[in-house]
């Protein structure tokens, strides 16, 4: 009931280059070249025209393919990826069409070797056969407790929920700041009015009505 299954090693690291003045956050995907087209055609590497050994570039060690954002930030020469405290040089052999933030794609075996993650994977992308019910497949797989099955949209939903919590928190903090500022303005104006009682009385004697004096105070508070 599983049509395709592809292992993925996903890492978040920093990258530097001759062009970049500072290290750039970079997402690295180690993929199976024989399976990537079935899952994400936009991650299919395109070797640089005229590159020596372009046919085997995907399987070469320490070789990456950059998306447009990574190319703009790092260029195509002198790229280094950080592992621990060390910077490891890699060869840029081409590009991928995926958009978004800086991204580097490489062979999963090369990624495991470069980042010393031999035998490790982050996830397995699974494409079910047409008509296969997801619940029945998960039951048949009998996944261990430390393995979680989820649809691609659940990651985006989790990130959305997290960002929504931040937005609510910022809104509450903004309201607290607004109320605090209003209280400070009210306190300052109350003290100011108390100190200027004689002046307001003089304005009343000169013909300024109580409503007009109130408008004067409100205008002053609005400016503040």
């Amino acid at each position: 009931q599983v049509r395709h299954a592809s292992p993925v090693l996903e890492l978040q690291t920093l990258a530097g280059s001759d062009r970049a003045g500072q290290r750039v956050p970079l997402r690295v995907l180690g993929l199976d070249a024989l399976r990537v087209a079935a899952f994400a055609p936009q991650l299919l590497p395109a070797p640089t025209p005229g590159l020596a050994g372009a046919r085997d570039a995907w399987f070469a060690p320490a070789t990456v393919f950059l998306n447009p954002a990574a190319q703009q930030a790092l260029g195509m020469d002198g790229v280094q990826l950080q592992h621990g405290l060390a910077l490891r040089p890699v060869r840029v052999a081409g590009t991928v069409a995926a958009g978004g933030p800086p991204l580097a794609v490489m062979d999963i075996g090369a990624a495991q070797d470069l980042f010393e993650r031999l035998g490790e994977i982050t996830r397995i992308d699974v494409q079910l056969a047409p008509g296969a019910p997801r619940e029945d497949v998960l039951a048949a797989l009998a996944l261990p407790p430390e393995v979680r099955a989820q649809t691609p949209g659940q990651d985006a939903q989790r990130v959305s929920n997290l960002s929504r919590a931040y937005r609510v928190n910022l809104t509450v903090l903004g309201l607290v700041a607004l109320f605090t500022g209003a209280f400070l303005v009210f306190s300052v104006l109350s003290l100011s009015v108390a100190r200027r009682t004689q002046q307001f009385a003089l304005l009343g004697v000169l013909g300024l009505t109580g409503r007009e004096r109130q408008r004067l105070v409100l205008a002053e508070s609005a400016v503040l």
Side-chain angles (χ1 to χ4, degrees), residues 31-34 36 43 45 54-60 65 105-107:
L31 303 174
D32 183 352
L34 304 179
V36 63
L43 296 177
R55 179 177 300 179
D56 301 324
W58 172 254
F59 302 100
F65 298 81
V105 175
M106 60 190 309
D107 175 62

Side-chain angles (χ1 to χ4, degrees), residues 51 64 111 128 162 168 193 219 224:
L51 178 71
V64 299
L128 301 183
L162 183 62
V168 171
V193 170
L224 291 177

Side-chain angles (χ1 to χ4, degrees), residues 165-189:
Y166 278 114
R167 290 196 300 269
V168 171
N169 189 25
L170 291 175
T171 301
V172 172
L173 292 177
L175 290 175
V176 170
L178 179 63
F179 290 138
T180 303
F183 175 75
L184 291 176
V185 172
F186 175 78
S187 300
V188 170
L189 284 173

